[in-house]
Amino acid sequence: MENFIIKVHQTCKPITIKAESEDEAYALIRNRIERNLLESSIDRYDISIRNEKQHWFKSFIQDNF
């Protein structure tokens, strides 16, 4: 068996939050993220997998060129 490194990035749809200030809006969204309440707003996942022994730059070249 081999070890693999997996990175997952979530892209969310834009969310509108009513708040008194930008700081309050930031605090509200951080709270939702921490409580994991954004599942319905997930737009897509970007998943990259590479062999643990393979250098990140070699993976980047293979994936993009």
Side-chain angles (χ1 to χ4, degrees):
M1 293 217 140
E2 297 180 51
N3 292 330
F4 293 90
I5 296 173
I6 301 172
K7 292 183 181 178
V8 179
H9 298 278
Q10 296 178 346
T11 304
C12 297
K13 296 176 187 171
I15 299 170
T16 303
I17 293 179
K18 292 185 181 184
E20 297 285 326
S21 66
E22 188 175 323
D23 291 333
E24 183 184 358
Y26 182 79
L28 289 170
I29 197 65
R30 289 297 309 161
N31 188 19
R32 286 188 186 182
I33 290 169
E34 289 170 4
R35 293 187 308 159
N36 204 16
L37 297 176
L38 294 178
E39 294 89 3
S40 62
S41 65
I42 300 299
D43 192 28
R44 73 174 206 268
Y45 293 93
D46 294 324
I47 302 172
S48 62
I49 302 173
R50 71 174 171 89
N51 190 314
E52 184 180 40
K53 296 176 184 174
Q54 185 174 6
H55 193 271
W56 71 268
F57 188 69
K58 187 174 182 180
S59 296
F60 174 78
I61 296 295
Q62 288 176 345
D63 292 344
N64 294 298
F65 299 100

